[in-house]
Amino acid sequence: MTTPRTTPHTGTGTAAPAPAPAPADRSRTHTWHSRPEPTPEILGMSGLEILRACLKGDLPEASIMSTLGFRLAEAEEGSVVFEGDPGDHLLNPMGTVHGGFLATLLDSALGSAVMTRLPAGTTYTTVQLGVHMIRPVLARTPTLRCEGTALHVGRTTATAEARVIGAEDGKLYAHATTTCVILRP
């Protein structure tokens, strides 16, 4: 339901008409590649092999990455790095970058760090995410770097930690931990 717009009283017994919304002065085009159907070749790849195939462009990256403007930069056994570019398309009503951008960046790094340690045919999903925002991100904040590390990958659960830092200045913007459930075939 839409809340009616109120306007100040003009003193004439009628309310002044509400101003028309300003026309959009920016646009953002979003394209992505569809996730491929799981083939025997893909099902035979470990989590690290899948992420490395995404880095090389052999497999499409997750569509959430192009939606929000971040990318996988590195993937090694037990660790990953994502980089993200804040912008005014991510602002909340207070004029800072929405915390959901940082939470998604962190969740991606946490889960992918766990994924690097999973064998072929095994998946995971987040069951707990704890995020700590340290400083605000502004539209003009330079590229952010999110480093995720798997701490424990067991038979049924995994834990990881991640940090978002300024790629240029090294300032800490946020950090997080996760617990994931491991889904074995």
Side-chain angles (χ1 to χ4, degrees), residues 6-83:
T6 60
T7 57
H9 187 9
T10 62
T12 62
T14 61
D25 61 356
R26 299 186 189 274
S27 67
R28 180 174 159 94
T29 301
H30 176 243
T31 58
W32 68 95
H33 296 284
S34 298
R35 181 178 167 90
E37 290 298 318
T39 63
E41 180 184 354
I42 293 171
L43 293 173
M45 298 170 75
S46 70
L48 181 57
E49 290 169 331
I50 289 171
L51 291 174
R52 286 183 172 164
C54 292
L55 276 169
K56 291 189 327 190
D58 295 338
L59 287 175
E61 60 187 21
S63 56
I64 190 67
M65 293 164 47
S66 60
T67 301
L68 293 183
F70 66 95
R71 63 208 157 273
L72 179 63
E74 300 172 24
E76 299 297 330
E77 177 87 22
S79 67
V80 297
V81 174
F82 284 85
E83 291 182 344

